[in-house]
Amino acid sequence: MVEVSKDEPDIEKIEEIINRDAALSYALLKIVNSAYFALRRRVSSIRQALVTMGISQLKQWVYLLSFNNDIDNEESLEAMMKLSFLRANFAMAISDHIKDLPIIRSEVYMMGMFSTLQYMINAPLEEILEEVPVAQEIKDALIRKEGVCGELYELILSYEGAEWKKVKQLSDKLEIPSGQLAQTYMDCVEAVNEIWNGLTVSADQETDIPVSNKTHT
């Protein structure tokens, strides 16, 4: 995560890191050969996979590739990873409506992905984020819920918790049309399910993110 987050990522260094880890190598090849990328020919080397995926895509997928399974319950681990993936997509989708947001869309995505790190890596979030070169605004948002990014993060958490009064207050403050949130959220759920199923399960074992009835209000 540190290496791909650098301003000028070193492909050879990234390749070296992945090649040292059988699980990472397997995960990367599985993703790049999945239905999501729909390649005509299968990719069989890490270098080919990195070139095919590109750094911008790798920044988005590396979160899914880099976890030690510290959560004992495999279903809990998968649910947490899905949640972070959903938050990332939802945050990026609604960020387009926010004026003067101090971070770019790809950073908004990473903020959503990193929001569950403390539950998946056995360390405090503040300590984890010190090891990753992310924008200070992201650190302030995730650790202290400060700034415009913090308000965006709070909006996402409030929506997940069905705290509709707070959702209305925050969406008004950020000038996000509150009427669009429900449809945007459902679109993100569908997109994440489609991508997740393409990456992790076969056609006869598809699983979806459970969506509570409270999200339909």
Side-chain angles (χ1 to χ4, degrees):
M1 285 190 288
V2 171
E3 197 62 40
V4 299
S5 298
K6 291 181 177 178
D7 291 336
E8 296 182 7
D10 186 333
I11 289 292
E12 290 186 1
K13 178 70 172 177
I14 295 169
E15 181 184 11
E16 179 185 340
I17 292 169
I18 295 174
N19 273 325
R20 289 200 302 261
D21 189 313
L24 272 178
S25 299
Y26 169 78
L28 177 63
L29 291 174
K30 183 176 181 181
I31 285 176
V32 84
N33 285 299
S34 71
Y36 179 76
F37 284 92
L39 301 178
R40 293 184 179 180
R41 295 183 179 180
R42 291 185 64 80
V43 169
S44 57
S45 74
I46 298 304
R47 175 58 67 93
Q48 280 182 301
L50 292 174
V51 171
T52 300
M53 184 176 286
I55 289 296
S56 61
Q57 284 274 8
L58 185 61
K59 284 181 178 180
Q60 296 183 0
W61 294 107
V62 73
Y63 179 87
L64 298 179
L65 301 176
S66 300
F67 285 116
N68 296 317
N69 290 355
D70 291 334
I71 299 177
D72 294 333
N73 187 316
E74 186 174 338
E75 290 185 2
S76 297
L77 175 65
E78 181 171 324
M80 193 61 65
M81 292 174 74
K82 278 185 174 182
L83 176 62
S84 61
F85 209 17
L86 177 58
R87 283 180 180 178
N89 281 272
F90 189 41
M92 191 166 65
I94 61 179
S95 71
D96 292 337
H97 299 284
I98 302 175
K99 297 178 181 178
D100 302 320
L101 192 65
I103 57 177
I104 61 177
R105 290 180 95 246
S106 62
E107 291 177 313
V108 173
Y109 185 96
M110 295 303 286
M111 183 178 76
M113 290 297 258
F114 285 176
S115 66
T116 61
L117 276 177
Q118 72 270 33
Y119 303 112
M120 305 183 74
I121 297 176
N122 189 23
L125 183 58
E126 189 168 2
E127 181 180 318
I128 296 168
L129 292 178
E130 282 303 314
E131 299 296 322
V132 184
V134 296
Q136 185 62 45
E137 289 86 354
I138 293 177
K139 296 178 182 179
D140 292 340
L142 295 181
I143 296 169
R144 292 176 288 274
K145 297 184 177 67
E146 292 180 352
V148 177
C149 296
E151 291 170 347
L152 171 58
Y153 179 44
E154 274 201 283
L155 173 60
I156 292 168
L157 296 181
S158 299
Y159 195 91
E160 288 176 2
E163 299 175 33
W164 306 122
K165 184 176 180 180
K166 194 169 183 180
V167 167
K168 182 67 166 63
Q169 291 173 343
L170 288 166
S171 60
D172 286 349
K173 188 173 183 180
L174 294 170
E175 299 184 11
I176 299 172
S178 58
Q180 294 185 10
L181 288 176
Q183 187 59 54
T184 300
Y185 184 82
M186 294 305 299
D187 289 344
C188 289
V189 168
E190 290 181 9
V192 169
N193 279 327
E194 182 179 351
I195 293 171
W196 190 271
N197 288 333
L199 294 177
T200 61
V201 296
S202 60
D204 60 345
Q205 295 176 312
E206 290 191 354
T207 58
D208 290 334
I209 296 175
V211 181
S212 169
N213 289 333
K214 65 186 179 182
T215 60
H216 292 285
T217 50

